Amino acid sequence: MSTAADRGKRAEALVKKKLTSMSAASNCNFYRWPDMRAGVRTAALTDFIVQRSGKLTLLEVKELSHSFRLPHKNLGLDQIAKARMWKASGAQAHVLINHTTNSTWRAVDIEWFHVNYTTKSPEGKAVGSWDLSDIALIEFNDYFESWV
């Protein structure tokens, strides 16, 4: 079980390890942005910025203890807006989600979160999370081969 202090660190470490091996073997470079835990007072754009084969990708990594829900508070509208601005200028922007309950992964384009953000259901009930159940599960390594 993760605490608030280390939530997401396992998934981020897996991504960093994968990106390190990719940068050693091919035309790939990455940078892990410092975050507030490192004493930075300004919110990072995303967790990683990746350049591979002429393609720039902003990559946010999330680790959840739910099999298909991502709380709105875990991905702020300001972060979505900033990533969408970079996407509008030619970058890719993805959220890579690790569901620890069943050891599965999902990759989602940032635009999906913008389009699917809602605070009320059609019945008028409050909604505080995205339902990711319609997004296909992927293998961790497949994300790096197919998306980045």
Side-chain angles (χ1 to χ4, degrees), residues 18 48 52 60 93 112 116 122-123 133 139:
K18 178 66 177 179
F48 296 91
R52 182 177 185 205
E60 181 67 19
W112 185 92
N116 290 287
E123 299 81 30
S133 58
E139 293 295 323

Side-chain angles (χ1 to χ4, degrees), residues 52-67:
R52 182 177 185 205
S53 301
K55 192 174 3 175
L56 181 73
T57 303
L58 301 177
L59 179 57
E60 181 67 19
V61 179
K62 297 295 180 190
E63 185 174 305
L64 303 174
S65 59
H66 195 282
S67 61

Side-chain angles (χ1 to χ4, degrees), residues 28-82:
C28 177
N29 285 296
F30 75 96
Y31 181 72
R32 168 69 170 101
W33 297 103
D35 59 15
M36 291 185 169
R37 294 178 198 146
V40 176
R41 294 194 174 137
T42 304
L45 179 60
T46 56
D47 291 319
F48 296 91
I49 185 167
V50 182
Q51 179 74 28
R52 182 177 185 205
S53 301
K55 192 174 3 175
L56 181 73
T57 303
L58 301 177
L59 179 57
E60 181 67 19
V61 179
K62 297 295 180 190
E63 185 174 305
L64 303 174
S65 59
H66 195 282
S67 61
F68 66 90
R69 291 234 174 247
L70 174 64
H72 290 158
K73 67 180 181 174
N74 289 22
L75 185 64
L77 292 176
D78 57 335
Q79 187 175 20
I80 293 169
K82 289 174 188 174

